[in-house]
């Protein structure tokens, strides 16, 4: 007991007393396509771009209200649930050359804010898994707006995040002359705080 008291006194003397406290509890938010959008953008032939979206995903955010820049996130996407305006594009993306939805029905992202930046702009880092291949992935998150929603009688917050991946790193190398290797992923979600 005396040793523990001495350790606390030493930490307090070094200005590190906060390190000895247990972490604050995190608030858990679960969301899906009903309150958010998960989109991907590709360039074609270097001049055109197309935007598609995943229509079936689920996500969980764990937020420590005392340290929001250490938020963690886990997203699961059903890869067959794709919407894209171009004829034949959905079938191509579901095929073994791209998402290979028969063998890999889900893609995932597990990551966390790094503690840097501010709520206006902060990095998220983690692992993106597509087609059973996992690579490091970084996004930039932003708190777009926080306000009281009169209809709900509660606070709501709009968040966005975006980052770029190389599809070739996940084994998707078909159509390289027509479809860019760099694909932008964008997320936008509204949460009831």
């Amino acid at each position: 007991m005396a040793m523990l008291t001495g350790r606390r006194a030493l930490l307090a003397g070094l200005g590190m007393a906060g390190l000895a406290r247990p972490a604050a509890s995190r608030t858990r938010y679960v969301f899906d396509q009903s309150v958010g959008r998960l989109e991907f953008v590709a360039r074609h032939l270097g001049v055109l771009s197309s935007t598609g979206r995943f229509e079936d995903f689920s996500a969980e955010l764990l937020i420590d209200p005392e340290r929001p820049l250490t938020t963690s996130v886990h997203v699961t996407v059903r890869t067959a649930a794709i919407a894209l305006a171009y004829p034949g594009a959905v079938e191509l993306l579901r095929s073994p050359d791209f998402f290979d939805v028969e063998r890999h029905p889900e893609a995932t992202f597990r990551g966390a804010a790094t503690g840097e930046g501010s709520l206006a702009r902060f990095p998220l880092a983690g692992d993106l898994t597509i087609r059973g291949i996992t690579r490091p992935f970084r996004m930039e998150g932003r708190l777009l707006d926080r306000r009281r929603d009169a209809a709900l009688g509660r606070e709501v917050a709009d968040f966005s995040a975006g980052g770029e991946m190389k599809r070739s790193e996940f084994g998707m190398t078909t159509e390289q002359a027509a479809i860019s290797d760099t694909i932008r992923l964008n997320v936008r979600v509204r949460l009831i705080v």
Side-chain angles (χ1 to χ4, degrees), residues 95-107:
S95 77
D97 290 332
F98 283 88
F99 288 117
D100 193 4
V101 300
E102 293 295 321
R103 291 182 46 213
H104 305 285
E106 294 181 342

Side-chain angles (χ1 to χ4, degrees), residues 33 38 40 52-58 75-84 89-96 98-109 128-133 165 170 172 185:
Q33 61 281 348
L38 178 51
F40 53 92
R53 71 180 179 279
F54 292 102
E55 296 189 312
D56 187 2
F57 67 90
S58 59
V75 181
T76 301
V77 177
R78 264 61 70 196
T79 54
I82 303 169
L84 196 61
V90 170
E91 291 77 21
L92 178 65
L93 291 177
R94 289 178 180 161
S95 77
F98 283 88
F99 288 117
D100 193 4
V101 300
E102 293 295 321
R103 291 182 46 213
H104 305 285
E106 294 181 342
T108 62
F109 174 70
L128 178 62
T129 302
I130 301 173
R131 295 170 46 105
I133 300 169
M165 59 166 271
F170 297 91
M172 297 182 276
L185 300 177

Side-chain angles (χ1 to χ4, degrees), residues 2 7 23-24 31 49 52 62 73 81 109 127 131 140 161 168 176 178 182:
R7 181 171 180 258
F31 64 93
S49 66
L62 292 175
V73 61
F109 174 70
D127 292 320
R131 295 170 46 105
E140 181 180 84
S168 59
Q176 286 188 324
T182 301

Side-chain angles (χ1 to χ4, degrees), residues 39-54:
E39 298 177 332
F40 53 92
V41 180
R43 305 254 324 139
H44 303 281
L45 304 172
V47 292
L48 304 171
S49 66
S50 62
T51 301
R53 71 180 179 279
F54 292 102

